[in-house]
Amino acid sequence: MRYAAPTSVAEAVALLGTEPNSRVFAGATDLVPQLRAGRPEPGVAIDLKKIPRLTSVAIDDGTWRIGAAAPTSDLTANEALTADVPGLVYASGLIGSDQIQNRASLGGNLCNASPAADAVPPLLVNTAQAVVAGPDGERTVPVADIPTGPGRTSLRPGEFVVEFLIDRPPPGTADAYLRLIPRTEMDIAIVGAAARITLDADGSCVAAAIALGAVAPTVITVPAASGGLIGQPIDARALAAVAAAASAAASPIDDKRGTVTYRRQVAGVLAKRAVAEAAGRARNGDGP
């Protein structure tokens, strides 16, 4: 296996085009364990960390541009980003240990295509877009369109994610992310739930988005839960409806981490709590 470290997007695309048995990586926090578990080695391992655009975190005319290979430790240390999307930043800080977060990235968390990926639900509720580069140039697609199943993505041969685009939330808006894991830290979510809520001056919900992880082959949104909040105050009745809709939308599997019945119940509980937390932040002015 040969190692390559391109310094531009064009160079990385060219490498992928000339080396058919090649693979990009952002932090190798998934790649290395997969190789140790017996996955075939790529002919060329292409490290994206040397490309400045892929490690940059900046705001440009009201839109956050987060490099797909930016270490998650850079995100958790960014106070302006945390103020705008605290749920996403919190989820980023759950990816592995402190040491791993110096290598782990949103791009890797997304493209590993785990249904339990922590960063994907908050990316979805914040309507994040992914800029994808490949032999035919660049295209921008919703993050929701990239994972297609466990370990599978919609990326075409020779493509990789360059950066994520997230518009700054409007006033009265905040997000939140919660998960349940078997241990106290450094584990895979049994269920993850993200919510983004916008409240008007009277405290009524004017916009909402809810996403669940680890309860389906990909992260899912719950339109029935979010749609039922519009025009309503975030009270006990509304939260109970969110819980019921989230549980109904979940279609998990039985495994050693949890049963179908348990995961459905947890999905409802976490969705309700995530909505309440996001609404509390929005109500208290903890968003933009």
Side-chain angles (χ1 to χ4, degrees), residues 62 64 83-86 126 166-175 196 198 287-288:
W64 281 101
D84 276 355
V85 283
N126 283 292
I166 302 175
D167 291 336
R168 288 199 71 211
T173 301
D175 71 336
R196 184 171 114 153
T198 303

Side-chain angles (χ1 to χ4, degrees), residues 69-205:
T72 55
S73 57
D74 286 0
L75 309 187
T76 57
N78 191 311
E79 294 182 0
L81 182 66
T82 302
D84 276 355
V85 283
L88 174 59
V89 171
Y90 173 72
S92 302
L94 296 176
I95 302 172
S97 65
D98 290 347
Q99 294 91 336
I100 286 174
Q101 288 167 25
N102 289 318
R103 292 291 299 174
S105 65
L106 295 187
N109 198 235
L110 173 69
C111 295
N112 191 47
S114 166
D118 285 308
V120 178
L123 283 170
L124 261 60
V125 299
N126 283 292
T127 59
Q129 302 281 309
V131 178
V132 176
D136 297 323
E138 293 189 3
R139 59 192 180 101
T140 301
V141 298
V143 163
D145 291 350
I146 291 190
T148 58
R152 303 192 306 273
T153 74
S154 62
L155 296 177
R156 303 163 188 163
E159 288 189 329
F160 58 94
V161 178
V162 174
E163 62 188 356
F164 298 98
L165 308 179
I166 302 175
D167 291 336
R168 288 199 71 211
T173 301
D175 71 336
Y177 176 73
L178 298 171
R179 70 173 184 175
L180 177 70
I181 59 174
R183 301 188 301 181
T184 57
E185 60 182 344
M186 290 178 61
D187 209 337
I188 299 170
I190 294 173
V191 177
R196 184 171 114 153
I197 302 294
T198 303
L199 301 179
D200 64 15
D202 296 326
S204 292
C205 180

Side-chain angles (χ1 to χ4, degrees), residues 19 26 134 238 250:
E19 300 283 353

Side-chain angles (χ1 to χ4, degrees), residues 48-57 66-71 74 162:
L48 301 177
K49 281 274 199 259
K50 305 296 183 182
I51 304 174
R53 186 178 170 193
L54 270 82
T55 57
S56 172
V57 180
I66 303 173
D74 286 0
V162 174

